[in-house]
Amino acid sequence: MINYIIIKLQKKTVISSVKKPTVRPIFPFTAIVGQEEMKLALILNVIDPKIGGVMIMGDRGTGKSTTIRAIADLLPEIPVVSNDSFNSHPSDIDLMGDQVKEAVDKQEDITLSYIKVPMVDLPLGATEDRLCGTIDIEKALTEGVKSFEPGLLAKANRGILYVDEVNLLDDHLVDILLDSAASGWNTVEREGISIRHPARFVLVGSGNPEEGELRPQLLDRFGMHAEIRTVKDPALRVKIVEERSKFDEDPTLCIAENKDNQELLKEQIIAAQEKLLSVEMDYEFRVKISEVCSELDVDGLRGDIVTNRAAKAFAAYQGHDRVTLEDIQTIITLSLRHRLRKDPLESIDSGQKVQKVFEKIFTDVIN
């Protein structure tokens, strides 16, 4: 009986000494097969977050969530002020909270740390308080002080905020999201406390068009719109299944096999971010982009602005000093297809319509 107990104890000791991974492995971005339109839209928004995010609409089971998590895992770590609730940048005023700004103004010492780019999921059942932040009731009751408890917008600052099934999200929450994404700030008024903090994030929404469409005025607020469809090519489907099976069987090996490609893409994105401000676009191209928007009867000027930004981001990604015709042709459908007025009697796809007008307006340049 005594021997039996000793053996059990020894086994327990051995089991407890086995070190288990504490971080869930993420499917490598470069191992994702197909869906090039979605991948490009995400990369361009990472290069220039001011593009305004991306809406991804497509069939179920096409890798939307997997791809979005993969791009966040791919990005390099960012410097933040230690123990700050808003992931404040140590030197950029637009990306730091008020307390950090005061500390910088007073030339106080600031401790830095490096974290992975935040990836925040917004569940469909989230409340406004959970999204924007609220008063810390526990602290108010125990210590008698009014304290702010940050919400998901604070956690997403300088990262990616992902909303799956965004077309099913309450409209007032979508309004808050889009306003914060556009302004880069979140303001909360609660119980006599006014809190304003940076909320600069890449807003990514996904959904299935069968479950309902977004209101046109909300859809227009997303910078880009990617449409993805189930792959029909049998050979490509087999390749996708094989890559996924390889990852499920041994995630560590799959990540190791894609390490070089991941590092190469990471370096390409970093180089594009650094090059972005120096990329130039000819005045003639800017005029023709506006002509395309006018011909397509696009409301407002967001279409013009996003197309210009996206073209520069893609040019930087390609290593170009100036935007080329091919750069514009690659991104113009992503930037404009969701801004067209829908005619139920029209048979032509919105993406094809954008390309048709592009070819018409840019005829002299193409020839």
Side-chain angles (χ1 to χ4, degrees):
M1 185 68 178
I2 295 175
N3 291 337
Y4 175 75
I5 294 173
I6 291 173
I7 290 171
K8 291 292 285 183
L9 289 173
Q10 286 175 340
K11 285 184 177 180
K12 186 176 181 181
T13 303
V14 172
I15 291 171
S16 63
S17 65
V18 175
K19 188 176 181 181
K20 295 182 179 179
T22 55
V23 180
R24 181 181 298 176
I26 303 295
F27 193 82
F29 187 83
T30 53
I32 296 172
V33 180
Q35 310 300 7
E36 300 302 326
E37 189 173 281
M38 171 173 58
K39 291 192 289 187
L40 177 61
L42 290 170
I43 288 173
L44 295 182
N45 272 274
V46 165
I47 293 172
D48 184 4
K50 290 183 179 179
I51 287 174
V54 56
M55 179 66 194
I56 302 168
M57 294 296 281
D59 302 329
R60 295 180 296 273
T62 46
K64 297 187 290 290
S65 300
T66 299
T67 306
I68 294 161
R69 290 183 173 84
I71 189 70
D73 185 65
L74 171 72
L75 301 176
E77 293 185 339
I78 58 173
V80 298
V81 177
S82 300
N83 302 319
D84 181 76
S85 301
F86 312 121
N87 303 322
S88 291
H89 194 283
S91 58
D92 191 335
I93 295 178
D94 290 334
L95 298 175
M96 63 174 66
D98 291 338
Q99 289 184 339
V100 174
K101 186 177 181 300
E102 289 176 7
V104 170
D105 291 340
K106 294 177 182 178
Q107 298 184 341
E108 296 177 3
D109 291 334
I110 293 176
T111 305
L112 295 184
S113 58
Y114 284 82
I115 63 170
K116 290 193 72 64
V117 171
M119 166 69 188
V120 177
D121 282 284
L122 176 63
L124 286 178
T127 62
E128 184 176 336
D129 285 348
R130 181 73 185 107
L131 178 63
C132 300
T134 186
I135 302 301
D136 189 338
I137 300 299
E138 183 179 353
K139 206 166 188 179
L141 293 175
T142 57
E143 301 178 21
V145 295
K146 292 182 178 180
S147 176
F148 179 69
E149 184 176 343
L152 296 177
L153 291 178
K155 293 181 180 180
N157 186 39
R158 302 177 64 200
I160 297 174
L161 181 60
Y162 174 46
V163 188
D164 193 11
E165 306 295 350
V166 66
N167 45 340
L168 302 181
L169 194 67
D170 288 343
D171 284 344
H172 78 284
L173 291 182
V174 176
D175 289 334
I176 293 171
L177 277 177
L178 295 173
D179 286 342
S180 297
S183 66
W185 293 89
N186 175 44
T187 303
V188 182
E189 301 281 350
R190 295 283 192 281
E191 305 297 332
I193 295 181
S194 179
I195 296 289
R196 181 174 177 265
H197 68 77
R200 297 286 181 93
F201 52 82
V202 176
L203 178 62
V204 180
S206 69
N208 185 344
E210 294 178 358
E211 296 170 349
E213 295 283 352
L214 274 178
R215 301 199 315 267
Q217 61 268 39
L218 297 182
L219 194 56
D220 177 65
R221 297 289 288 274
F222 283 92
M224 307 185 93
H225 186 284
E227 289 184 359
I228 55 177
R229 295 288 178 261
T230 303
V231 176
K232 301 299 183 183
D233 182 12
L236 199 56
R237 291 172 75 110
V238 169
K239 189 175 181 181
I240 294 170
V241 172
E242 287 177 348
E243 289 291 341
R244 185 69 220 189
S245 299
K246 187 189 299 182
F247 177 79
D248 291 338
E249 290 170 7
D250 191 343
T252 305
L253 177 61
C254 182
I255 291 171
E257 288 178 350
N258 288 276
K259 184 178 179 181
D260 291 342
N261 290 334
Q262 290 277 99
E263 286 298 321
L264 189 64
L265 180 56
K266 185 187 295 186
E267 290 172 5
Q268 193 175 356
I269 290 173
I270 293 172
Q273 289 172 333
E274 294 172 351
K275 190 180 185 66
L276 181 62
L277 291 177
S278 64
V279 174
E280 297 180 356
M281 181 188 291
D282 293 340
Y283 178 75
E284 180 187 6
F285 282 168
R286 296 201 297 271
V287 170
K288 287 187 176 297
I289 286 172
S290 291
E291 283 183 32
V292 172
C293 293
S294 180
E295 180 81 12
L296 290 169
D297 199 20
V298 173
D299 289 336
L301 294 173
R302 284 199 186 98
D304 306 57
I305 295 169
V306 170
T307 305
N308 278 268
R309 282 194 174 278
K312 288 184 177 182
F314 185 70
Y317 181 57
Q318 296 296 306
H320 301 159
D321 294 321
R322 303 185 75 86
V323 173
T324 67
L325 177 69
E326 290 73 22
D327 295 334
I328 299 172
Q329 187 170 15
T330 302
I331 58 85
I332 196 164
T333 299
L334 282 167
S335 304
L336 297 181
R337 65 148 60 99
H338 57 302
R339 306 179 196 278
L340 308 189
R341 295 183 179 181
K342 292 189 177 180
D343 183 355
L345 300 178
E346 194 169 32
S347 59
I348 187 171
D349 176 75
S350 59
Q352 293 177 345
K353 189 174 182 181
V354 172
Q355 282 296 324
K356 188 176 179 181
V357 173
F358 168 82
E359 291 170 4
K360 174 185 172 183
I361 300 294
F362 281 80
T363 300
D364 56 332
V365 182
I366 294 173
N367 297 332

